[in-house]
Amino acid sequence: MKTKTVFSCQSCGFQSPKWLGKCPDCESWNSFVEEDYASPQVISKGRTNLDLPQEEPVLIKDVHIKEEDRLKSGIAELDRVLGGGLVPGSVVLIGGDPGIGKSTISLQFSHQLMRAGAKVLYVSAEESVTQTKLRAQRLGIGQGERLYIVNQADLGVILEFIRKLKPDLVIVDSIQVISDSRLTSAAGSVSQVRECAATLARFAKGTNISIFIIGHVTKEGTLAGPRVLEHIVDTVLYFEGERFSSYRILRAVKNRFGSTNEIGVFEMGTKGLCEVENPSQIFLAQRPTDVSGSVVISVLEGTRPILVEVQALVSKTGFGYPLRRAEGFDYNRLSLLVAVLEKRIGLSLETEDIFVNVAGGIKVEDPAADLGVAAAVASAFRGKPVDIDVVLLGEVGLAGEIRSVSQSILRINEAQKLGFKRCILPKNNLKGLDLPKANTIKLEPVATLKEALDLLGIN
Ligand code: TYD
Ligand code: MG
């Protein structure tokens, strides 16, 4: 086979004819490795040997889609993240750090789908059949007639098994150990991972079999990360959460069949992952009372509002340059809010170290969190606690104004459900707000950050 070499970024798949220290695409350092590159002609010639199913063109009006076609696992958190169940013929990528629970959730998902009547093939390429059986035993699942398992890493053989078995769902655990024998590069290299995933994706489309691809996120490792695959698959789910905390967040970052940014919250226990039905309650469970720098905000994750606690700590800079640290919140956004607090409110934060943390390991990107973060910093700086029953909503502008947020009614309802008594929100959000009759939460509209801090008694 005629091959030449290229250098590929192990993080995002960017290719270059020469070695680069920093990837111009994803900006990761020292991520380029040399690989054999099979030219497209070589690959496409080989592909026809795989005998992929061919589809005839049809009229688009003759294509019928029924909502009930979606396979529902009954794991509500997962079904919602998928956009209401698994679409037949779709390809889903589950990415995440090693040990976060990708194999566990996939096995649980397989079992649930089997119980719902689907035939499932679990390709356990990383672990032996016995290891997976042990895990299934631990989870108390796997007793059924339609859940098959095989330990196989060769793509051609796997496709042959799928053709014979005709399952509704195939789990490939994980893509980094699968290899296509027609390519010369090693399993786990960018070209192997990309080609195998692309073949699987085309196979899924042609046969209407859904495929779950598991991929490890790697920063420095030698294996190609799932970012290489994002454009090949229909749905990308990422498992987040700190390894040593029991909570896991499954987030849809791409979904051709549902909304993105939808999250599912799980707790890892002794019997696998359990759904967390009311995440707000958990994120607020360990909230300290009567401590400065702690406020509650309402962030929208996909279609669901979640209440989380933001904590700030402000302390005198011991030496030279003041520190700013943000965990779960954008660092640049924090710098901007600190500048607004200095200029518009008059807080002298230039000689203070500032630490902000969103409790529970959740990452907040919603601009509605601004007001809460600014209030937490102000509260910590003044040493005055914020009332425990207040929720804050609002985006902060550079002039210190509070800008409206999306879906305020959902957020207010969630706060009310959890017993909050006051909600400080942007004035503009009050217009045309359709509140339910049994309204026990007091809405306090504000136009500026100063007004909000006055209402909280921390200005
Ligand atoms: P796993 O699904 O193997 O992770 P991944 O496939 O993403 O690498 O999950 C491994 C971790 O989960 C491991 O540290 C053990 C833990 N675990 C539990 O705490 N409870 C359980 O019931 C199971 C099956 C695993
Ligand atoms: Mg695994």
Side-chain angles (χ1 to χ4, degrees):
M1 194 182 284
K2 206 176 99 195
T3 56
K4 56 182 179 175
T5 52
V6 285
F7 292 87
S8 314
C9 170
Q10 295 288 285
S11 164
C12 72
F14 186 87
Q15 291 190 321
S16 154
K18 61 178 193 313
W19 189 85
L20 299 173
K22 183 184 178 187
C23 175
D25 194 23
C26 69
E27 302 194 337
S28 55
W29 286 93
N30 204 14
S31 59
F32 278 81
V33 290
E34 187 172 5
E35 288 194 340
D36 285 342
Y37 173 76
S39 72
Q41 292 88 335
V42 173
I43 294 169
S44 61
K45 197 165 142 234
R47 261 186 199 154
T48 49
N49 297 344
L50 277 180
D51 225 2
L52 288 172
Q54 303 295 328
E55 260 196 48
E56 295 292 320
V58 289
L59 289 172
I60 192 161
K61 72 175 170 68
D62 294 337
V63 181
H64 297 290
I65 301 161
K66 286 183 273 163
E67 187 52 30
E68 56 272 28
D69 279 350
R70 284 187 186 246
L71 298 169
K72 288 207 170 59
S73 66
I75 306 175
E77 293 288 304
L78 181 55
D79 288 342
R80 198 190 49 251
V81 173
L82 287 169
L86 185 64
V87 175
S90 66
V91 183
V92 179
L93 170 70
I94 296 197
D97 293 332
I100 197 110
K102 300 178 297 297
S103 304
T104 306
I105 190 99
S106 306
L107 197 56
Q108 287 178 291
F109 185 62
S110 311
H111 175 76
Q112 288 300 108
L113 278 186
M114 175 197 72
R115 288 188 41 188
K119 195 197 267 185
V120 185
L121 172 63
Y122 195 105
V123 181
S124 172
E126 253 175 36
E127 294 174 57
S128 70
V129 170
T130 339
Q131 278 172 318
T132 308
K133 173 70 188 176
L134 282 173
R135 175 178 291 130
Q137 265 177 352
R138 185 173 174 186
L139 300 170
I141 62 175
Q143 310 301 329
E145 293 300 317
R146 290 179 302 275
L147 178 53
Y148 293 84
I149 176 166
V150 62
N151 173 267
Q152 180 55 254
D154 187 295
L155 183 68
V157 182
I158 293 171
L159 291 184
E160 209 40 59
F161 287 145
I162 302 177
R163 257 187 224 113
K164 256 194 270 167
L165 208 59
K166 296 193 178 53
D168 300 290
L169 171 70
V170 179
I171 311 264
V172 179
D173 185 5
S174 70
I175 190 71
Q176 275 111 355
V177 292
I178 304 286
S179 65
D180 183 337
S181 52
R182 292 159 306 126
L183 299 180
T184 48
S185 46
S189 63
V190 173
S191 47
Q192 278 286 5
V193 165
R194 196 169 32 208
E195 284 308 315
C196 291
T199 308
L200 283 167
R202 283 183 309 126
F203 189 83
K205 297 287 171 254
T207 52
N208 229 20
I209 294 172
S210 305
I211 302 187
F212 254 57
I213 297 177
I214 296 177
H216 299 293
V217 173
T218 46
K219 280 206 186 94
E220 296 94 16
T222 51
L223 298 176
R227 286 197 53 194
V228 177
L229 308 176
E230 283 179 358
H231 63 283
I232 297 172
V233 301
D234 298 310
T235 302
V236 179
L237 309 180
Y238 274 110
F239 237 137
E240 295 170 359
E242 278 131 47
R243 196 159 169 195
F244 298 104
S245 123
S246 58
Y247 296 108
R248 303 279 188 270
I249 293 163
L250 191 63
R251 182 187 297 275
V253 292
K254 165 182 172 178
N255 196 349
R256 287 187 181 146
F257 310 112
S259 82
T260 48
N261 282 326
E262 198 71 74
I263 66 165
V265 184
F266 295 89
E267 184 176 7
M268 181 66 97
T270 48
K271 281 196 170 279
L273 290 153
C274 307
E275 298 171 64
V276 172
E277 272 157 31
N278 196 337
S280 303
Q281 233 155 18
I282 289 189
F283 290 135
L284 297 181
Q286 297 172 45
R287 195 181 166 209
T289 49
D290 228 20
V291 176
S292 65
S294 158
V295 304
V296 174
I297 57 170
S298 174
V299 291
L300 210 61
E301 293 289 350
T303 52
R304 185 162 65 167
I306 293 181
L307 300 187
V308 288
E309 180 196 352
V310 174
Q311 295 188 323
L313 184 66
V314 175
S315 74
K316 272 264 165 291
T317 305
F319 177 75
Y321 191 69
L323 283 175
R324 307 276 186 257
R325 289 277 183 277
E327 202 64 57
F329 187 74
D330 182 37
Y331 172 83
N332 294 325
R333 196 81 203 151
L334 173 64
S335 308
L336 185 148
L337 292 173
V338 169
V340 172
L341 283 168
E342 284 178 353
K343 276 280 171 197
R344 309 288 173 194
I345 308 294
L347 303 188
S348 44
L349 296 165
E350 56 279 346
T351 55
E352 306 282 343
D353 291 341
I354 300 176
F355 305 91
V356 166
N357 179 33
V358 180
I362 198 164
K363 289 192 185 70
V364 174
E365 284 170 10
D366 189 345
D370 284 0
L371 177 57
V373 173
V377 172
S379 156
F381 178 66
R382 297 271 191 229
K384 293 182 191 161
V386 169
D387 283 346
I388 192 138
D389 54 2
V390 189
V391 164
L392 298 166
L393 292 181
E395 182 180 344
V396 175
L398 290 185
E401 82 279 17
I402 302 295
R403 297 169 161 263
S404 58
V405 300
S406 62
Q407 310 271 15
S408 53
I409 189 75
L410 285 179
R411 304 175 196 252
I412 295 167
N413 284 344
E414 175 77 2
Q416 179 164 303
K417 211 164 73 194
L418 285 157
F420 282 83
K421 295 280 180 294
R422 297 164 64 198
C423 175
I424 298 187
L425 77 171
K427 212 169 208 157
N428 281 338
N429 272 116
L430 218 52
K431 288 182 202 143
L433 199 63
D434 205 7
L435 276 180
K437 289 260 171 350
N439 182 13
T440 56
I441 192 162
K442 187 172 165 232
L443 301 181
E444 303 180 23
V446 290
T448 63
L449 180 56
K450 185 167 182 320
E451 282 176 38
L453 298 184
D454 283 340
L455 278 175
L456 292 168
I458 50 175
N459 197 359

